[in-house]
Amino acid sequence: MSQTSLHNPPSDPITEGARARAQGRPKDACPYPTRSAARTAWLEGYDGAPVDRAPDLPVRNG
């Protein structure tokens, strides 16, 4: 029998980061080492945007 459960599927760091934010965990709860690709991906998932992308600015009317 497989170790993988349908209720607890394996996830990637982006999904883990998004799930951590949804669960109310702090951003510094990232389990991956500093300067690792997995940490960058986890933080992207937590923030909901790629790390190297600047935040969208508000649209000005007129």
Side-chain angles (χ1 to χ4, degrees):
M1 184 172 208
S2 174
Q3 295 286 345
T4 304
S5 166
L6 294 177
H7 298 288
N8 195 10
S11 59
D12 65 305
I14 293 173
T15 303
E16 291 174 4
R19 186 175 297 140
R21 182 177 182 141
Q23 293 172 346
R25 293 174 51 205
K27 193 171 189 175
D28 64 1
C30 179
Y32 297 102
T34 304
R35 295 188 189 105
S36 69
R39 183 178 186 87
T40 300
W42 192 95
L43 294 171
E44 287 177 355
Y46 190 94
D47 291 336
V51 171
D52 61 350
R53 181 176 163 231
D56 292 335
L57 299 175
V59 176
R60 292 186 78 178
N61 292 331

